[in-house]
Amino acid sequence: MATVFTIHPDTPQMRWIEKIMDALRDGAVLLYPTDTVYAIGCDLNVKSAVERVRQIKQLSSDKPLTFLCSSLSDIASYAYVTDSAYRTLKRLIPGPYTFLLPATKLVPRLVMSPKRKTTGIRVPDNAICQALLQALGNPIISTSAPTACHKADTQISKAELFDQLDGLVDVMIEDGEPVGYQVSTMLDLTGKEPVITRKGLGWEAAAAWAVEAS
């Protein structure tokens, strides 16, 4: 049975954040809220935990995993950022966006796309995520929980989500907020101009910026 921590969505209690940080470093898999959907994640650098995340989501080894960074400067450690990509990142983060970027050597092979050597990175506008990232000191895997991505007219209950994943993950975070069901908007920043490859939360703002930047 997973350990559930009730954490304030705006002012996370650091005593709980530190306990979750210790669990992540020890290889725990986490169910946690983001600024889009609830996500399953772990410490980017713990291979066994990353493999468990893949098993829970039933993802093959050639399917890249997205991870969270705390800031633009943090992104620069894990991805090669061109001037045009930098302008897009600076305009849209933090927010509900996933950016596809060329990966640096700091990104584990188990996470990146093996063919393109690219990686998906997010900087969430979420206080709990940011507190975890600051405490841990490195990125956290972020893949949408299996039942969280429903259409607007079939929004899942949090109780159902927690019941389904209890026993599969080690730690769950309850933030007292409704479960989100809109995924992030995905932008490919590997070319000269940003390209939206998936429309999700905030895609209109991303589309307006893509036009402006082109």
Side-chain angles (χ1 to χ4, degrees):
M1 181 177 292
T3 302
V4 179
F5 291 89
T6 300
I7 299 181
H8 195 282
D10 300 317
T11 55
Q13 304 94 317
M14 289 311 299
R15 66 184 184 278
W16 301 139
I17 293 295
E18 289 173 359
K19 285 184 177 295
I20 297 170
M21 174 199 69
D22 290 339
L24 290 173
R25 287 179 174 168
D26 287 339
V29 173
L30 170 69
L31 175 68
Y32 64 102
T34 71
D35 52 351
T36 54
V37 300
Y38 254 80
I40 298 170
C42 64
D43 187 327
L44 177 72
N45 296 322
V46 180
K47 182 179 179 181
S48 61
V50 176
E51 290 174 340
R52 283 181 59 202
V53 170
R54 285 194 176 279
Q55 291 172 357
I56 293 170
K57 284 294 296 282
Q58 298 181 352
L59 297 174
S60 61
S61 59
D62 61 349
K63 179 72 173 179
L65 289 169
T66 295
F67 57 86
L68 306 182
C69 283
S70 61
S71 64
L72 179 54
S73 60
D74 198 21
I75 288 178
S77 298
Y78 296 91
Y80 297 104
V81 180
T82 63
D83 289 343
S84 60
Y86 176 85
R87 289 190 291 270
T88 298
L89 292 167
K90 189 174 182 180
R91 180 67 172 264
L92 295 178
I93 64 171
Y97 305 102
T98 299
F99 303 99
L100 185 66
L101 291 158
T104 69
K105 293 181 179 180
L106 287 182
V107 179
R109 291 185 178 181
L110 189 60
V111 172
M112 74 172 71
S113 170
K115 293 181 179 180
R116 298 187 63 189
K117 305 299 182 184
T118 55
T119 191
I121 300 179
R122 293 197 59 212
V123 178
D125 187 12
N126 178 280
I128 293 174
C129 291
Q130 287 291 342
L132 287 170
L133 289 165
Q134 293 293 337
L136 189 62
N138 55 260
I140 297 173
I141 292 294
S142 180
T143 179
S144 59
T147 59
C149 301
H150 283 210
K151 295 180 180 178
D153 59 349
T154 57
Q155 184 175 357
I156 192 173
S157 71
K158 187 176 292 187
E160 183 182 354
L161 175 64
F162 277 40
D163 284 347
Q164 179 172 335
L165 292 175
D166 191 17
L168 296 178
V169 302
D170 305 299
V171 177
M172 297 177 174
I173 294 179
E174 166 61 73
D175 65 351
E177 298 290 316
V179 174
Y181 52 86
Q182 286 186 277
V183 296
S184 63
T185 291
M186 187 171 292
L187 293 94
D188 188 335
L189 301 185
T190 59
K192 294 182 178 180
E193 299 175 358
V195 177
I196 297 176
T197 58
R198 183 180 71 190
K199 290 182 179 180
L201 193 63
W203 76 267
E204 297 94 339
W209 168 247
V211 171
E212 182 180 336
S214 62

